[in-house]
Amino acid sequence: MPLDKGTVERTWSQMSFSYKEKGIITSWNKKAEEVLGHKSQDVVGKVWTDLVSEGWAEHCLEALEKVQLQGEEVVLPLVTGDGLHSAVRCVVRKFGRCSCFLFSCGHTPPSPTVCTWPLEIRSMEGLGKCAFALRDLPAGEMILEEEPFYTRMPRAQLQKRPEWDQAWLAAFNGIRAALKAPEGSPFSEMPEKPLLASTALVLDLISFVLLPESLKGALYGFSSPALDSDHALVEVARQLAELCKERLPECKDADLGMLQFAILVTEMNIFPGGRIFWTMSRINHSCAPNCVFSAAPNRWGLRSVRPISAGEEITISYLGEELLLPTVQRQWLLWRSKCFICGCRRCASPEDPLRDRACSSCMPLPKRWRVVHQPAVWRRKEPSTAGRAVALLKEGTEFDTNGVSQRTKEGLWIFAEDSDLKKNGWVLVDGSTLGLGQLIEPIDEEFANIWPGRLKHRLKRTVFNRPGDAAREHYLNWYDLDAQKLTAWHWRKEEDEFEESDSAGSSYARFSRERNWTCESCGEEIEAFVKEEQLLGEVAQRVFAMALHDQRRASAAGVKGLVLPDENFVLTALRLADDAGRLFGRRHWIWQMGLLFAVDLDLSLNRFTYRKWDAEWISGTASMLLEVWDWLASLELSQAPSYFLHSRASRLSKEMENVVLVRSDVEKQPAVEERFLRLRSKLQRRVDGLSPPVSILPDREFIPETLFIAH
């Protein structure tokens, strides 16, 4: 039956929609069984007429008639079961003149009007396959949805395989290659590191080998590094292919080059969850993307995060939480896993706001302070411990300063004022050189006094100081810093505009590859703590990862998703944030990742232990989350802060609504209620204005193992 007669006999299998709850056409294969089993031309024509949007049948037939090569794509405007329209893009494989196989490679969400396809994949010299918008796209729009055509086999299928013995493990663990930075790259000075084989690569290989030949052929059109490339991943893939060909029955008859290619092409194009998509996997990466990959149970799609103009390239990020790492770390991770050096506008910029640092030369000091040392500190006539004492300030005493400071060998001194002029004098901020630790800390009601140097102390006071417990001061040896160098500085953001308050200190130094750190206000270049930043950055990248790698899970005890790190791990992680905050200031990425770590810990403690919220504790948690939110807003990322924090903000906002203010506590600290109500209102306004729910930072549940055992 010729195509130009308005009827088409089709094999509709492999085509599907994901709107099962709306009652629209869910299985084209089912429709084929119902209709194509009848050899009636009228019935076949009726199905075609019912599916294609009114007035578009002739257009669809012409598009199919024009297909000359196997694998060409066409767009079919279709009608859903609700009378809505959806544009479906299909890969066409013809069988003779009047029959063809259609493979769906995405569809637009249902719309009351006839839909058009939103993007086009084109080959660009030097860039490979690129996606470009075919029309203007508003922010927050679901552009398309798509089913994966490749899914990595579950890890559990490797268990109990006879090949997975000690000899296999020995050979597998011996696979490695030196990961070298390309000469002249931004990270060329980073040391060589070994790249090892992973179980995911084995799963990729077996999954590829088991694919139908047509889908294997489809993957040959996807990007991957050349097999003779000197990248470490190519060498690891070669060694692993040799091992699999020797040991795995699925691979014994396969060509070695094909096995190596299978590992590389799947690893280059795979999405979270081990899936490859015909359309979305061809979209290029940017650290400042205009779209984000959206994943829900059995529903995957592409959502715009800002307005996109027709003709503009559509980009996504291959990174998740790593988007909040400095440029060099992001580029290194992409080189390591995807074999390219990112040159997007974020990476091409010489400045890196994630590495902003405090400028101690021109930043004004906070005006109000509190004594935190037990039992007291001395106010002295001169900035020296040998100076004459003029007043004894007990723990908890609050006082004002005039902003004058002086640094000596003993540390930073500030001049404290008193109503009795005779008691005016100097107070030492940090007594680390004397073996005393932090002596006084600034007071900031906006952020509930969560200051660098206080994170681990806040946790110990609220959680670990149980009756009978000894103080825990044993830390893991991740790094060693000279405590004499640590000085606390402050950063904050006003409610709606990015403006630091005068009292809090507004001066900071921005990192630039051309000048290192240069203060935005005084122009002074800062060269101190360069090695310390590199050391702490490498540690923080591992410690603050959302997955909390290499930490024990509670799944064996029947609790899904909960991580049980050692208590020392938690305290040392918070100390890492404290030290980074005191060295580099509150705008630095390590301090902000430490705050997020503390927020997740607080949420988990409330959920999995008997420790329940009170106004003071939850105010501190809210203030930390709001500070991270404001920091993200100051970075000018393409994604709004809600794309990173919406799930945490929503959850914490609900918790604050359920907190009961205890009158006895409020009477002791009248400011507690006022601060709690202010922060609750501020957080609720953020939640009410959230962007579409796409989580770049997954929820992270963890508590110290000792607390899990106790409860």
PDB file of all heavy atoms in Angstrom, residues 5 39 44 48 58 68 94 137 141 188 195 209 253 336 420 464 498 511-512 531 612 624 652:
ATOM      1  N   LYS A   5      -1.260   7.363  -0.465  1.00  0.00           N
ATOM      2  CA  LYS A   5      -2.705   7.164  -0.470  1.00  0.00           C
ATOM      3  C   LYS A   5      -3.344   7.528   0.870  1.00  0.00           C
ATOM      4  O   LYS A   5      -4.532   7.343   1.053  1.00  0.00           O
ATOM      5  CB  LYS A   5      -3.037   5.720  -0.844  1.00  0.00           C
ATOM      6  CG  LYS A   5      -2.770   5.417  -2.323  1.00  0.00           C
ATOM      7  CD  LYS A   5      -3.299   4.053  -2.679  1.00  0.00           C
ATOM      8  CE  LYS A   5      -3.090   3.797  -4.182  1.00  0.00           C
ATOM      9  NZ  LYS A   5      -3.572   2.459  -4.574  1.00  0.00           N
ATOM     10  N   LYS A  39      -6.426  -6.865   8.554  1.00  0.00           N
ATOM     11  CA  LYS A  39      -5.818  -6.495   7.278  1.00  0.00           C
ATOM     12  C   LYS A  39      -6.668  -5.481   6.523  1.00  0.00           C
ATOM     13  O   LYS A  39      -6.560  -5.341   5.324  1.00  0.00           O
ATOM     14  CB  LYS A  39      -5.603  -7.742   6.419  1.00  0.00           C
ATOM     15  CG  LYS A  39      -4.672  -8.765   7.068  1.00  0.00           C
ATOM     16  CD  LYS A  39      -3.304  -8.169   7.375  1.00  0.00           C
ATOM     17  CE  LYS A  39      -2.379  -9.187   7.995  1.00  0.00           C
ATOM     18  NZ  LYS A  39      -1.051  -8.606   8.318  1.00  0.00           N
ATOM     19  N   VAL A  44      -6.640   0.565   9.393  1.00  0.00           N
ATOM     20  CA  VAL A  44      -5.300   1.147   9.482  1.00  0.00           C
ATOM     21  C   VAL A  44      -5.362   2.643   9.244  1.00  0.00           C
ATOM     22  O   VAL A  44      -4.757   3.443   9.958  1.00  0.00           O
ATOM     23  CB  VAL A  44      -4.346   0.472   8.473  1.00  0.00           C
ATOM     24  CG1 VAL A  44      -2.993   1.162   8.491  1.00  0.00           C
ATOM     25  CG2 VAL A  44      -4.187  -0.993   8.812  1.00  0.00           C
ATOM     26  N   TRP A  48      -4.330   5.908  11.864  1.00  0.00           N
ATOM     27  CA  TRP A  48      -3.452   6.993  11.445  1.00  0.00           C
ATOM     28  C   TRP A  48      -4.167   8.334  11.596  1.00  0.00           C
ATOM     29  O   TRP A  48      -3.624   9.303  12.111  1.00  0.00           O
ATOM     30  CB  TRP A  48      -3.033   6.762   9.994  1.00  0.00           C
ATOM     31  CG  TRP A  48      -2.118   7.807   9.434  1.00  0.00           C
ATOM     32  CD1 TRP A  48      -2.423   8.734   8.507  1.00  0.00           C
ATOM     33  CD2 TRP A  48      -0.758   8.013   9.780  1.00  0.00           C
ATOM     34  NE1 TRP A  48      -1.328   9.511   8.229  1.00  0.00           N
ATOM     35  CE2 TRP A  48      -0.285   9.086   9.010  1.00  0.00           C
ATOM     36  CE3 TRP A  48       0.120   7.396  10.669  1.00  0.00           C
ATOM     37  CZ2 TRP A  48       1.009   9.562   9.090  1.00  0.00           C
ATOM     38  CZ3 TRP A  48       1.418   7.864  10.760  1.00  0.00           C
ATOM     39  CH2 TRP A  48       1.845   8.931   9.978  1.00  0.00           C
ATOM     40  N   GLU A  58      -1.176  14.518   5.788  1.00  0.00           N
ATOM     41  CA  GLU A  58      -0.441  14.592   4.530  1.00  0.00           C
ATOM     42  C   GLU A  58       1.004  14.998   4.758  1.00  0.00           C
ATOM     43  O   GLU A  58       1.929  14.459   4.137  1.00  0.00           O
ATOM     44  CB  GLU A  58      -1.136  15.593   3.595  1.00  0.00           C
ATOM     45  CG  GLU A  58      -0.675  15.507   2.146  1.00  0.00           C
ATOM     46  CD  GLU A  58      -1.099  14.192   1.503  1.00  0.00           C
ATOM     47  OE1 GLU A  58      -2.121  13.620   1.939  1.00  0.00           O
ATOM     48  OE2 GLU A  58      -0.403  13.742   0.575  1.00  0.00           O
ATOM     49  N   GLN A  68      15.369   8.807   3.103  1.00  0.00           N
ATOM     50  CA  GLN A  68      16.179   8.021   2.172  1.00  0.00           C
ATOM     51  C   GLN A  68      17.137   7.081   2.900  1.00  0.00           C
ATOM     52  O   GLN A  68      17.367   5.957   2.470  1.00  0.00           O
ATOM     53  CB  GLN A  68      16.986   8.960   1.262  1.00  0.00           C
ATOM     54  CG  GLN A  68      16.125   9.874   0.405  1.00  0.00           C
ATOM     55  CD  GLN A  68      15.283   9.102  -0.593  1.00  0.00           C
ATOM     56  OE1 GLN A  68      15.735   8.111  -1.155  1.00  0.00           O
ATOM     57  NE2 GLN A  68      14.047   9.547  -0.802  1.00  0.00           N
ATOM     58  N   LYS A  94      13.131   2.063   7.229  1.00  0.00           N
ATOM     59  CA  LYS A  94      12.171   1.603   6.226  1.00  0.00           C
ATOM     60  C   LYS A  94      12.368   0.122   5.893  1.00  0.00           C
ATOM     61  O   LYS A  94      13.484  -0.390   5.915  1.00  0.00           O
ATOM     62  CB  LYS A  94      12.312   2.437   4.951  1.00  0.00           C
ATOM     63  CG  LYS A  94      11.677   3.818   5.048  1.00  0.00           C
ATOM     64  CD  LYS A  94      11.600   4.462   3.678  1.00  0.00           C
ATOM     65  CE  LYS A  94      10.783   5.733   3.735  1.00  0.00           C
ATOM     66  NZ  LYS A  94      10.658   6.363   2.396  1.00  0.00           N
ATOM     67  N   LEU A 137      12.245  29.809  23.777  1.00  0.00           N
ATOM     68  CA  LEU A 137      11.778  28.946  24.863  1.00  0.00           C
ATOM     69  C   LEU A 137      11.790  29.740  26.162  1.00  0.00           C
ATOM     70  O   LEU A 137      12.823  30.317  26.527  1.00  0.00           O
ATOM     71  CB  LEU A 137      12.684  27.714  25.002  1.00  0.00           C
ATOM     72  CG  LEU A 137      12.805  26.822  23.763  1.00  0.00           C
ATOM     73  CD1 LEU A 137      13.908  25.789  23.954  1.00  0.00           C
ATOM     74  CD2 LEU A 137      11.478  26.129  23.475  1.00  0.00           C
ATOM     75  N   GLU A 141      10.348  25.915  31.405  1.00  0.00           N
ATOM     76  CA  GLU A 141       9.476  25.092  30.560  1.00  0.00           C
ATOM     77  C   GLU A 141      10.077  23.702  30.371  1.00  0.00           C
ATOM     78  O   GLU A 141      11.273  23.566  30.133  1.00  0.00           O
ATOM     79  CB  GLU A 141       9.265  25.750  29.202  1.00  0.00           C
ATOM     80  CG  GLU A 141       8.392  24.928  28.257  1.00  0.00           C
ATOM     81  CD  GLU A 141       8.148  25.634  26.940  1.00  0.00           C
ATOM     82  OE1 GLU A 141       7.340  26.571  26.923  1.00  0.00           O
ATOM     83  OE2 GLU A 141       8.782  25.258  25.938  1.00  0.00           O
ATOM     84  N   SER A 188      47.433  22.082  34.536  1.00  0.00           N
ATOM     85  CA  SER A 188      48.648  21.367  34.120  1.00  0.00           C
ATOM     86  C   SER A 188      49.617  21.134  35.272  1.00  0.00           C
ATOM     87  O   SER A 188      50.453  20.230  35.203  1.00  0.00           O
ATOM     88  CB  SER A 188      49.352  22.139  32.997  1.00  0.00           C
ATOM     89  OG  SER A 188      49.657  23.462  33.410  1.00  0.00           O
ATOM     90  N   LEU A 195      44.279   6.394  37.402  1.00  0.00           N
ATOM     91  CA  LEU A 195      42.873   6.169  37.093  1.00  0.00           C
ATOM     92  C   LEU A 195      42.643   4.664  37.110  1.00  0.00           C
ATOM     93  O   LEU A 195      43.351   3.916  36.426  1.00  0.00           O
ATOM     94  CB  LEU A 195      42.516   6.756  35.727  1.00  0.00           C
ATOM     95  CG  LEU A 195      41.036   6.724  35.343  1.00  0.00           C
ATOM     96  CD1 LEU A 195      40.233   7.614  36.277  1.00  0.00           C
ATOM     97  CD2 LEU A 195      40.854   7.172  33.899  1.00  0.00           C
ATOM     98  N   VAL A 209      27.086  -5.280  25.024  1.00  0.00           N
ATOM     99  CA  VAL A 209      27.189  -6.540  24.282  1.00  0.00           C
ATOM    100  C   VAL A 209      25.823  -7.202  24.126  1.00  0.00           C
ATOM    101  O   VAL A 209      25.537  -7.829  23.092  1.00  0.00           O
ATOM    102  CB  VAL A 209      28.177  -7.484  24.994  1.00  0.00           C
ATOM    103  CG1 VAL A 209      28.134  -8.881  24.378  1.00  0.00           C
ATOM    104  CG2 VAL A 209      29.588  -6.922  24.929  1.00  0.00           C
ATOM    105  N   ASP A 253      33.644 -13.822  21.980  1.00  0.00           N
ATOM    106  CA  ASP A 253      33.655 -13.790  20.514  1.00  0.00           C
ATOM    107  C   ASP A 253      33.636 -12.371  19.952  1.00  0.00           C
ATOM    108  O   ASP A 253      33.587 -12.190  18.728  1.00  0.00           O
ATOM    109  CB  ASP A 253      32.442 -14.563  19.970  1.00  0.00           C
ATOM    110  CG  ASP A 253      32.474 -16.031  20.373  1.00  0.00           C
ATOM    111  OD1 ASP A 253      33.583 -16.582  20.508  1.00  0.00           O
ATOM    112  OD2 ASP A 253      31.379 -16.611  20.564  1.00  0.00           O
ATOM    113  N   ARG A 336      38.815  14.145  33.531  1.00  0.00           N
ATOM    114  CA  ARG A 336      38.981  12.798  34.062  1.00  0.00           C
ATOM    115  C   ARG A 336      37.873  11.861  33.587  1.00  0.00           C
ATOM    116  O   ARG A 336      38.141  10.719  33.208  1.00  0.00           O
ATOM    117  CB  ARG A 336      38.981  12.856  35.596  1.00  0.00           C
ATOM    118  CG  ARG A 336      39.131  11.520  36.298  1.00  0.00           C
ATOM    119  CD  ARG A 336      39.075  11.726  37.809  1.00  0.00           C
ATOM    120  NE  ARG A 336      39.289  10.472  38.512  1.00  0.00           N
ATOM    121  CZ  ARG A 336      38.331   9.588  38.775  1.00  0.00           C
ATOM    122  NH1 ARG A 336      37.099   9.832  38.361  1.00  0.00           N
ATOM    123  NH2 ARG A 336      38.604   8.482  39.442  1.00  0.00           N
ATOM    124  N   ASP A 420      32.226  52.754  81.500  1.00  0.00           N
ATOM    125  CA  ASP A 420      33.273  53.288  82.372  1.00  0.00           C
ATOM    126  C   ASP A 420      34.553  53.405  81.545  1.00  0.00           C
ATOM    127  O   ASP A 420      35.159  52.398  81.180  1.00  0.00           O
ATOM    128  CB  ASP A 420      33.478  52.359  83.560  1.00  0.00           C
ATOM    129  CG  ASP A 420      34.498  52.909  84.567  1.00  0.00           C
ATOM    130  OD1 ASP A 420      35.153  53.931  84.255  1.00  0.00           O
ATOM    131  OD2 ASP A 420      34.631  52.303  85.642  1.00  0.00           O
ATOM    132  N   PHE A 464      26.520  16.092  71.228  1.00  0.00           N
ATOM    133  CA  PHE A 464      27.473  15.125  71.752  1.00  0.00           C
ATOM    134  C   PHE A 464      27.723  15.240  73.251  1.00  0.00           C
ATOM    135  O   PHE A 464      28.300  14.355  73.836  1.00  0.00           O
ATOM    136  CB  PHE A 464      28.808  15.258  71.016  1.00  0.00           C
ATOM    137  CG  PHE A 464      28.742  14.789  69.598  1.00  0.00           C
ATOM    138  CD1 PHE A 464      29.584  15.301  68.644  1.00  0.00           C
ATOM    139  CD2 PHE A 464      27.823  13.838  69.219  1.00  0.00           C
ATOM    140  CE1 PHE A 464      29.513  14.869  67.338  1.00  0.00           C
ATOM    141  CE2 PHE A 464      27.747  13.395  67.912  1.00  0.00           C
ATOM    142  CZ  PHE A 464      28.599  13.914  66.966  1.00  0.00           C
ATOM    143  N   PHE A 498      22.224  42.197  46.730  1.00  0.00           N
ATOM    144  CA  PHE A 498      23.545  41.722  47.169  1.00  0.00           C
ATOM    145  C   PHE A 498      24.344  42.910  47.685  1.00  0.00           C
ATOM    146  O   PHE A 498      25.061  43.566  46.960  1.00  0.00           O
ATOM    147  CB  PHE A 498      24.277  41.050  46.015  1.00  0.00           C
ATOM    148  CG  PHE A 498      25.623  40.525  46.429  1.00  0.00           C
ATOM    149  CD1 PHE A 498      25.713  39.586  47.435  1.00  0.00           C
ATOM    150  CD2 PHE A 498      26.770  40.989  45.829  1.00  0.00           C
ATOM    151  CE1 PHE A 498      26.943  39.100  47.813  1.00  0.00           C
ATOM    152  CE2 PHE A 498      28.000  40.512  46.206  1.00  0.00           C
ATOM    153  CZ  PHE A 498      28.091  39.566  47.201  1.00  0.00           C
ATOM    154  N   PHE A 511      39.436  35.894  43.243  1.00  0.00           N
ATOM    155  CA  PHE A 511      40.521  35.174  42.592  1.00  0.00           C
ATOM    156  C   PHE A 511      40.470  35.386  41.082  1.00  0.00           C
ATOM    157  O   PHE A 511      39.418  35.369  40.463  1.00  0.00           O
ATOM    158  CB  PHE A 511      40.422  33.677  42.879  1.00  0.00           C
ATOM    159  CG  PHE A 511      41.456  32.862  42.158  1.00  0.00           C
ATOM    160  CD1 PHE A 511      42.748  32.788  42.640  1.00  0.00           C
ATOM    161  CD2 PHE A 511      41.156  32.201  40.982  1.00  0.00           C
ATOM    162  CE1 PHE A 511      43.708  32.051  41.965  1.00  0.00           C
ATOM    163  CE2 PHE A 511      42.105  31.460  40.304  1.00  0.00           C
ATOM    164  CZ  PHE A 511      43.384  31.387  40.795  1.00  0.00           C
ATOM    165  N   SER A 512      41.622  35.596  40.484  1.00  0.00           N
ATOM    166  CA  SER A 512      41.754  35.679  39.037  1.00  0.00           C
ATOM    167  C   SER A 512      43.017  34.937  38.640  1.00  0.00           C
ATOM    168  O   SER A 512      44.052  35.043  39.311  1.00  0.00           O
ATOM    169  CB  SER A 512      41.847  37.144  38.584  1.00  0.00           C
ATOM    170  OG  SER A 512      42.187  37.215  37.210  1.00  0.00           O
ATOM    171  N   LYS A 531      48.931  27.615  49.332  1.00  0.00           N
ATOM    172  CA  LYS A 531      49.091  26.169  49.498  1.00  0.00           C
ATOM    173  C   LYS A 531      48.016  25.610  50.427  1.00  0.00           C
ATOM    174  O   LYS A 531      47.521  24.501  50.217  1.00  0.00           O
ATOM    175  CB  LYS A 531      50.482  25.854  50.048  1.00  0.00           C
ATOM    176  CG  LYS A 531      51.608  26.148  49.062  1.00  0.00           C
ATOM    177  CD  LYS A 531      52.951  25.753  49.641  1.00  0.00           C
ATOM    178  CE  LYS A 531      54.079  26.010  48.635  1.00  0.00           C
ATOM    179  NZ  LYS A 531      55.404  25.632  49.203  1.00  0.00           N
ATOM    180  N   LYS A 612      15.116  16.833  69.231  1.00  0.00           N
ATOM    181  CA  LYS A 612      14.063  17.543  68.523  1.00  0.00           C
ATOM    182  C   LYS A 612      14.327  19.050  68.539  1.00  0.00           C
ATOM    183  O   LYS A 612      15.015  19.566  69.405  1.00  0.00           O
ATOM    184  CB  LYS A 612      12.692  17.227  69.135  1.00  0.00           C
ATOM    185  CG  LYS A 612      12.327  15.745  69.055  1.00  0.00           C
ATOM    186  CD  LYS A 612      12.398  15.235  67.615  1.00  0.00           C
ATOM    187  CE  LYS A 612      12.104  13.754  67.522  1.00  0.00           C
ATOM    188  NZ  LYS A 612      12.261  13.243  66.132  1.00  0.00           N
ATOM    189  N   MET A 624      21.932  29.149  58.533  1.00  0.00           N
ATOM    190  CA  MET A 624      22.965  28.554  57.686  1.00  0.00           C
ATOM    191  C   MET A 624      22.443  28.315  56.278  1.00  0.00           C
ATOM    192  O   MET A 624      23.127  28.599  55.288  1.00  0.00           O
ATOM    193  CB  MET A 624      23.464  27.251  58.307  1.00  0.00           C
ATOM    194  CG  MET A 624      24.258  27.438  59.584  1.00  0.00           C
ATOM    195  SD  MET A 624      25.059  25.922  60.190  1.00  0.00           S
ATOM    196  CE  MET A 624      23.640  24.965  60.708  1.00  0.00           C
ATOM    197  N   LEU A 652      12.737  22.287  55.775  1.00  0.00           N
ATOM    198  CA  LEU A 652      13.029  23.059  56.980  1.00  0.00           C
ATOM    199  C   LEU A 652      11.901  24.039  57.290  1.00  0.00           C
ATOM    200  O   LEU A 652      11.572  24.282  58.456  1.00  0.00           O
ATOM    201  CB  LEU A 652      14.353  23.807  56.816  1.00  0.00           C
ATOM    202  CG  LEU A 652      14.876  24.522  58.059  1.00  0.00           C
ATOM    203  CD1 LEU A 652      15.076  23.540  59.207  1.00  0.00           C
ATOM    204  CD2 LEU A 652      16.187  25.240  57.756  1.00  0.00           C
TER     205      LEU A 652
END
